[in-house]
Each structure stands twice: as structure tokens, then as C-alpha cells.
Amino acid sequence: MSQVKENDTVKVHYTGKLSNGQVFDSSIDREPLEVTLGQGMLIPGFEKGIMTMELNEKKTIKIPVAEAYGEVQKELLYEVKKEQLPPDMAPEVGMGLASKGEDGREVQFRIAEVNEDHIIADANHPLAGQDLTFELELVEIK
């Protein structure tokens, strides 16, 4: 049987879950994820989990924080005065924001906390600090 190796292009169906069982993403109702391995396009634990799978194999992998999106970095939490927000905005926890960085690139944030005179904007990946579980099914090796 064919087995996945470095630099293969694969198609894989997946369902990603948090440690409490909540599904955060799935390809089941859409096309499978197609990716070439070894190019840094996947979190390390996901790529490692696909490596050596055989065609049509199904398995469940657990990815620790360090091999997923890493720990929450406190330096990516920013206090923003409410007067700096658009006047018609009603900030809520979980709401997404975008801002231009000093280099002109757009930076994505989400609101982590809303206080009387300021919010805490979080630029960490939404899954930072989380252990992840993926159910995988390898559907094609190119």
C-alpha cells in the first residue's frame, strides 16, 4: 500500500476538536484539505500525524500546544482605549478587529476583554494555548 512520505502532496479529511470535545473545524462537508508536506504550511503536529499514513487510513491524533499554535504570548495582548475605536462600534468579547502595523501590513486581533474605558485586543492565534485532537482520513496521495 502507498504510504505518505516527505514532499508528497496529499488530500486528507479532518475534524479538529478542542480538549473538551468542541469541534472547531472540519472538512467533512467540503473538499478535503490538499497540501504538500514539508513546506511548513501545517502546524507541526498535524503534519507529523499524516506522515506514514496509508491510503484510506483513518486515525485520531492528539497534538500538544507546543506542536500546535504554541502558548498564549502575553506580549500579543494590547490595551486599546475605547476612544481609539470607531465611534459606532459596540465592542464585544470574541469580536474580530484589524489594524495596520507599523510596516503597513494588516494585523488581525480579537477582543479578549471589554472594560469601561478600554478593551484588551489579542493578536494570538485563536487556538494558541490549546491542545488539539484531529480525526484524520487520508483520501489521496499524489
Side-chain angles (χ1 to χ4, degrees), residues 11-139:
K11 286 187 178 182
V12 62
H13 270 300
Y14 66 89
T15 298
K17 298 179 182 179
L18 302 176
S19 53
N20 67 4
Q22 177 187 346
V23 173
F24 63 84
D25 193 14
S26 179
S27 69
I28 298 304
D29 293 329
R30 58 183 195 261
E31 289 295 310
L33 172 68
E34 181 173 341
V35 66
T36 301
L37 302 176
Q39 297 187 346
M41 300 303 292
L42 300 171
I43 58 174
F46 192 97
E47 186 160 321
K48 190 163 77 175
I50 295 171
M51 215 47 88
T52 74
M53 283 184 75
E54 294 181 351
L55 191 59
N56 300 316
E57 180 181 352
K58 293 180 180 183
K59 73 177 182 179
T60 299
I61 60 172
K62 294 189 182 304
I63 303 175
V65 169
E67 292 184 7
Y69 293 95
E71 295 291 345
V72 172
Q73 298 176 47
K74 303 267 189 251
E75 62 272 15
L76 296 178
L77 300 173
Y78 302 93
E79 185 175 305
V80 179
K81 298 284 182 203
K82 281 189 176 175
E83 64 231 27
Q84 294 176 275
L85 300 173
D88 58 344
M89 181 182 182
E92 295 179 20
V93 171
M95 182 182 285
L97 299 172
S99 178
K100 291 249 189 258
E102 291 177 12
D103 60 2
R105 291 189 313 165
E106 189 173 89
V107 180
Q108 299 289 321
F109 298 91
R110 64 187 161 73
I111 298 176
E113 196 176 303
V114 177
N115 297 294
E116 194 170 316
D117 63 340
H118 69 278
I119 64 165
I120 302 296
D122 185 352
N124 284 285
H125 188 283
L127 295 174
Q130 302 271 351
D131 292 324
L132 306 176
T133 299
F134 284 92
E135 295 170 4
L136 304 174
E137 178 182 6
L138 185 68
V139 295

